[in-house]
Amino acid sequence: MSYTSELPWPVPDERFRHWAGQFADMHDLVRALVIPSGLPQAAESVLTTARELIRMSYYRYDFMMIGAATSVIAIETALTDRYGKGTLASHLRKARADGLLAEEQYDLLDSCGRPIRNRYAHGDLTHAVLTPPLAIGMVRTSITILAKLHSTPHPGTTAASG
């Protein structure tokens, strides 16, 4: 018997069998997650990573939750840049009050996104289950919000001051 230190090639995660019959189907699932041009490079990179984690969840179902959490962390960073120190919960409330988040977006991020982000940040990935539509919806919401945050002036700035 020969020993090799090579990792095995990835195999489809059986938990994904209801959502995609083959990896090529994953392209169709994430096709609508278009990262808009004009975002700061860091935001674009994080959102692209979140999208690709969902696509690769065909091989490791847990990647879906990590992709959704990653997109929420990108929102948290942008909201902290806008509002300063505070919690994700308080920043989400401020963004809703300022009209940056629609009620549906706020509900998704507060009731689902925050707990996922917290579990990921604290290393509790066990028993985290998201369906592809929910994970994709969370990343789509993150894309929409980040595009809006980066196109809306910060409070206290004017068009002339930047």
Side-chain angles (χ1 to χ4, degrees):
M1 174 183 282
S2 67
Y3 171 78
T4 179
S5 62
E6 295 292 317
L7 294 172
W9 285 98
V11 295
D13 191 313
E14 192 174 303
R15 295 171 286 183
F16 223 97
R17 70 184 176 281
H18 300 294
W19 302 101
Q22 58 186 355
F23 181 70
D25 297 335
M26 296 304 292
H27 302 295
D28 293 333
L29 281 175
V30 300
R31 183 167 282 129
L33 297 177
V34 177
I35 313 301
S37 60
L39 288 178
Q41 183 179 8
E44 180 183 340
S45 177
V46 169
L47 291 172
T48 299
T49 298
R51 180 189 61 208
E52 291 307 301
L53 281 163
I54 290 175
R55 199 164 64 94
M56 294 299 169
S57 66
Y58 178 79
Y59 294 109
R60 181 70 185 177
Y61 202 82
D62 303 328
F63 287 174
M64 204 165 2
M65 194 275 300
I66 296 167
T70 299
S71 74
V72 173
I73 290 168
I75 290 173
E76 182 175 20
T77 301
L79 291 174
T80 298
D81 287 347
R82 179 171 289 260
Y83 296 117
K85 258 180 121 174
T87 65
L88 177 57
S90 68
H91 289 335
L92 290 173
R93 285 191 298 273
K94 288 176 188 174
R96 179 182 59 180
D98 289 348
L100 295 171
L101 294 179
E103 194 64 34
E104 181 180 308
Q105 293 169 326
Y106 172 81
D107 289 342
L108 177 66
L109 291 170
D110 189 55
S111 67
C112 189
R114 268 189 334 104
I116 288 168
R117 175 251 177 245
N118 291 343
R119 291 179 82 171
Y120 178 59
H122 297 287
D124 184 14
L125 301 178
T126 58
H127 307 297
V129 177
L130 281 179
T131 63
L134 184 55
I136 289 166
M138 192 157 316
V139 174
R140 181 183 309 111
T141 297
S142 297
I143 290 169
T144 301
I145 292 166
L146 284 170
K148 190 172 188 177
L149 283 168
H150 289 292
S151 69
T152 305
H154 289 285
T157 62
T158 63
S161 65

